[in-house]
Amino acid sequence: MPNSYDAIVIGAGHNGLIAANYLARDGKKVLVLEARNVVGGACTTEELIAGSKWSSCAFIAGLLRPEVIRELELAKYGLEMYQTEAMEVVIFEDGSHMFMWKDIDRTLTELEKFSKKDAKSFLSFGLRVKQFASIITPFLMKPPTSRSEVLAAFEQAGATDLFDEFVLSSTKDLLDRYFESEHIKGLFTFFGMISIWGGPSTPGTAYVYGHHSVGEFEGHLGQWGLVKGGMGGITQAMTRAAEAHGAEVRLNSPVRHVQVENGVARGVLLESGEEISAPVVLSNADPVRSMLSLLPAGTVKPAVTEAVQRFDTRGSMARIHLLIDELPEYVGFPPGPGPQHEAQQIMGASVENFERAWEAERRGILPDEFVIEAMIQSTTDPSLAPAGLHTMTLGVQQLSFELTGTDWDQMRDKFADQVLENLFRYAPNLRDHILDRVVITPLDLERDYGLTGGNIFHGAMFLDQLFGSRPTPELADYRTPVQGYYLCGSGTHPGGGVMGANGHNAAKVVLADVNGTAARPVPLATSGPKRGLADVVMSSKAGRELGYQVARQPLLRRVVRLFTKSGT
C-alpha cells in the first residue's frame, strides 16, 4: 500500500468526508483516517444492541447544506431522506399536547388550542426567522468574515433589531417578544438549549435557535427530515462518493500525531507506528484536540496554545437508546400507533424546567426534572429493528461534563434511571416494555466519539466564538500556524450540527493554497434581501390578518408552502 498522498484527512466525520470529497474531485490523492470501526463520527448509525440500529448521536437531518448534497451527488451514492407529516409534538403531564406539522394550517390549528394570539404571532415570527436566514446564509458557505462585517450586513438590510434578537439576546427574551403561552414558549425554547452552557435567560442563546432556523428540507426553511437507515446514511453516502473519485478511507486507524518539520506538516504517525506522508493534513477533530493533542508539544507559539486552551467547550448532552417491544402510550393519546410516534417527541418542555436544568448544570449535579426529547425512527424505517420491536432514542440537554464529587461512569445508571422515571410519567406502559438500553454520557462523547468536553458542536456557539473568532482569530480561516495543516471540523466557521459547510469551506481554502489560486471573496450585499410578497403582505395589520386567514386554509397548502421556500 502506498504511503504517500496529496492530502490526509484525520477523522471520517461528515466534515472530514466532505473535505475529502472536494479534494478528490479536484484530482488530489486523498486518504481519510478514522480511529473508530465505523465512519461518521457523531453522524453515524450503529448496532448498539444486537439486531437493532440507532443514530447514536445526531438523529435529525435539517442543517445539511443543499449545496453539499447537490455537488457531491449524495443521492446518486445512496442517500435517501424523507419527512414525516408531524415534525414535533410536545407532551405535557396533564395530557395536553401540541403538534408542529409540516403543513402550516395544521400547525396554526394546534397553536390556537393554547393561544389564538400566538397562532397569529407565529406567522410574523416565521417571517422574522426567514429574514434572519436570508441575511446569515450567504456567510455560511465561505470562509468567515469578521463579526463587524456580519453586523454590517444586518445594518445594510435595515435589520439591526433582527441581529439583536437572534444573535445577542437570550432565547427567553426572543420568545417573550412574540408569544404569551408558556406551553408554546416551552417547546420553542428547546431549540435554543442544544449543547449549551446556559439557560433560557443566558444572553446569546438566541443564536443557537437562529443557527437551527437556517436549516431546511427540500428548500423549506425550518423543516427537517430523517435518513433511511439512520444518520449513518449521510456519511456512508459521502464515503462512497469519495471512494468513487479515488479517495481511500481507512477505519481503525487512530493518529498519534501530525508530523511537523521546520513548521511544515509532512504527514502523520499512526498509533500502530506507521508513517504516512502528505504535504497537506486536515483535522476533522475539534480545535482543542487538533491543536493540543495532534500536534507535538511546542509546535505552535504559546500565545496560540493559550488561545486554544481558552476555547470554551462547556455544554454537553446525553443519549439513552432503548429497545422496546411496545410503543409508548402517551398520556392524552388513545392507544395504538399515531403521528406522536413518528414526530420528534418532547416532554417536560417548560421555560422553568430549562432554567432549573441550567442551575443544575452550573453546579455539576443532575436536575430533579429533565426535559426529554425522543425519537422512534423504527416506526417509519422498519429496517432498524426486528419485527415487533422498536428503537427509541432519548436525549437530555444542558448537562455538565464535570460532576461534583463523582463522574459520569459512576452516575451512568442513576442518571438513566432518573430520566426513565420522568419518562414513565408521560408513558406509564413503557415501565414493563424496555428490553435493553445503551447510555451515552458526556464522558462517552469525549472518550468514544472524540468530542472534547462532550460538546457536540466542538465548542460553544456564543458570539465570542463565531465567524472570524471561531475557534480563535488565529485559526479562523481553517489554516493553522503549521504550514499545510488545516482544521475542518465543527469547531470552525460556521459552527456545529450536521451542516457540512465547514468541510466544504476548508477544502476550498486548501485547494486555493495548493493550486495557487485565490479564493474569490463573496461581496457583501449593498442592500438588504429583496422583500417577497409574503413580507409585503405581512407588513401591515390588515395584511397580517389576511395572511393568517390564508395560511389556515388546507386548500391553499401548495400556495402557502411556496412562501416557506428559501429565497422566495
Side-chain angles (χ1 to χ4, degrees):
M1 181 179 295
N3 64 351
S4 180
Y5 294 82
D6 295 323
I8 294 171
V9 179
I10 302 173
H14 66 282
N15 279 310
L17 290 169
I18 289 169
N21 266 277
Y22 282 105
L23 295 175
R25 284 170 178 259
D26 194 69
K28 303 298 184 281
K29 185 179 179 182
V30 182
L31 172 65
V32 181
L33 296 169
E34 170 56 44
R36 303 182 73 228
N37 63 357
V38 61
V39 298
C43 178
T44 189
T45 301
E46 297 182 84
E47 188 174 333
L48 299 175
I49 298 170
S52 301
K53 297 178 181 180
W54 283 262
S55 296
S56 308
C57 300
F59 60 52
I60 285 174
L63 289 176
L64 186 60
R65 293 306 306 166
E67 300 93 332
V68 170
I69 296 173
R70 181 179 63 254
E71 292 171 4
L72 300 188
E73 304 173 286
L74 295 184
K76 173 182 176 181
Y77 293 101
L79 176 61
E80 294 184 52
M81 300 173 69
Y82 64 95
Q83 267 189 309
T84 56
E85 290 297 316
M87 306 298 292
E88 289 98 21
V89 59
V90 58
I91 304 168
F92 304 102
E93 279 196 78
D94 62 3
S96 61
H97 55 267
M98 179 175 65
F99 281 100
M100 300 293 290
W101 297 92
K102 182 171 66 174
D103 295 310
I104 292 178
D105 61 284
R106 299 178 74 181
T107 295
L108 293 178
T109 299
E110 289 289 309
L111 297 178
E112 287 174 351
K113 295 191 306 185
F114 295 91
S115 170
K116 288 188 176 181
K117 179 182 177 182
D118 283 0
K120 293 182 178 182
S121 295
F122 178 72
L123 292 182
S124 299
F125 183 66
L127 287 176
R128 295 287 282 174
V129 168
K130 186 177 180 181
Q131 186 184 12
F132 172 77
S134 71
I135 297 172
I136 210 73
T137 296
F139 290 99
L140 302 180
M141 296 293 283
K142 68 184 187 101
T145 54
S146 67
R147 290 169 291 183
S148 61
E149 289 179 279
V150 176
L151 175 57
F154 282 85
E155 291 175 339
Q156 291 167 4
T160 53
D161 57 336
L162 199 64
F163 183 87
D164 294 340
E165 286 185 4
F166 282 89
V167 179
L168 300 180
S169 74
S170 69
T171 302
K172 185 178 187 303
D173 286 343
L174 171 67
L175 297 176
D176 281 347
R177 295 184 187 189
Y178 294 91
F179 304 107
E180 62 180 11
S181 166
E182 291 302 316
H183 290 76
I184 294 172
K185 288 190 286 188
L187 169 61
F188 291 164
T189 297
F190 171 80
F191 301 103
M193 297 294 102
I194 299 173
S195 201
I196 68 155
W197 180 259
S201 298
T202 303
T205 51
Y207 186 81
V208 178
Y209 185 101
H211 180 73
H212 288 87
S213 74
V214 303
E216 58 185 75
F217 186 87
E218 295 182 347
H220 292 279
L221 286 169
Q223 296 195 8
W224 53 262
L226 297 169
V227 181
K228 186 173 182 181
M231 290 293 281
I234 292 175
T235 44
Q236 289 160 16
M238 290 175 178
T239 299
R240 287 189 287 268
E243 291 174 337
H245 288 83
E248 180 184 344
V249 179
R250 289 172 57 178
L251 304 178
N252 301 305
S253 301
V255 173
R256 183 178 300 172
H257 63 73
V258 177
Q259 293 183 310
V260 181
E261 184 179 313
N262 297 322
V264 179
R266 298 300 187 192
V268 299
L269 174 67
L270 302 188
E271 290 289 354
S272 66
E274 180 183 359
E275 296 184 8
I276 308 174
S277 64
V280 169
V281 179
L282 296 90
S283 176
N284 187 44
D286 65 70
V288 174
R289 192 172 296 255
S290 297
M291 298 303 296
L292 304 185
S293 297
L294 289 176
L295 288 179
T299 300
V300 298
K301 293 179 179 180
V304 175
T305 297
E306 291 168 6
V308 174
Q309 289 172 335
R310 291 193 299 269
F311 184 63
D312 188 358
T313 60
R314 293 175 300 174
S316 190
M317 48 85 65
R319 291 270 185 252
I320 302 174
H321 299 289
L322 306 175
L323 184 64
I324 56 179
D325 63 4
E326 183 174 286
L327 289 173
E329 294 182 0
Y330 288 122
V331 292
F333 287 93
Q340 68 272 20
H341 299 119
E342 298 179 0
Q344 180 185 19
Q345 303 129 52
I346 302 177
M347 291 150 277
S350 71
V351 175
E352 189 57 34
N353 275 350
F354 286 115
E355 292 286 17
R356 292 194 189 103
W358 160 227
E359 177 61 20
E361 181 182 30
R362 186 187 64 78
R363 295 170 58 196
I365 62 175
L366 300 180
D368 295 325
E369 298 285 332
F370 294 95
V371 180
I372 304 171
E373 60 174 327
M375 178 61 68
I376 315 173
Q377 192 179 346
S378 56
T379 58
T380 56
D381 185 354
S383 70
L384 297 174
L389 303 182
H390 284 287
T391 56
M392 184 176 189
T393 293
L394 308 180
V396 176
Q397 302 290 338
Q398 294 175 279
L399 295 176
S400 176
F401 183 80
E402 302 279 352
L403 294 179
T404 301
T406 184
D407 61 37
W408 278 105
D409 282 342
Q410 296 182 63
M411 293 295 291
R412 177 189 309 275
D413 288 332
K414 180 178 180 180
F415 163 73
D417 289 344
Q418 286 184 221
V419 172
L420 291 180
E421 284 301 320
N422 278 200
L423 175 66
F424 296 151
R425 299 210 304 264
Y426 299 91
N429 68 307
L430 281 185
R431 187 181 294 275
D432 301 317
H433 291 281
I434 297 174
L435 304 182
D436 205 348
R437 75 187 188 193
V438 172
V439 183
I440 298 176
T441 70
L443 180 57
D444 296 323
L445 290 176
E446 177 176 270
R447 184 170 50 200
D448 299 335
Y449 294 88
L451 302 172
T452 298
N455 190 294
I456 61 173
F457 292 155
H458 285 196
M461 292 189 50
F462 293 108
L463 184 58
D464 63 329
Q465 293 190 168
L466 293 173
F467 306 110
S469 293
R470 188 170 184 85
T472 71
E474 300 91 340
L475 305 172
D477 62 357
Y478 312 100
R479 300 178 180 93
T480 75
V482 177
Q483 184 179 333
Y485 185 46
Y486 300 81
L487 306 182
C488 68
S490 293
T492 63
H493 171 76
V498 185
M499 178 180 286
N502 319 62
H504 165 276
N505 297 347
K508 297 300 183 182
V509 168
V510 170
L511 291 173
D513 289 350
V514 171
N515 296 338
T517 58
R520 289 182 297 176
V522 179
L524 286 173
T526 56
S527 60
K530 293 181 179 179
R531 300 181 73 201
L533 179 58
D535 301 281
V536 175
V537 170
M538 296 289 286
S539 63
S540 68
K541 182 176 180 180
R544 288 191 290 272
E545 181 63 31
L546 173 62
Y548 176 69
Q549 295 302 328
V550 169
R552 293 181 74 254
Q553 304 305 313
L555 293 177
L556 297 178
R557 280 179 186 168
R558 288 189 178 182
V559 175
V560 172
R561 281 181 68 80
L562 288 176
F563 291 113
T564 67
K565 293 280 284 186
S566 59
T568 60

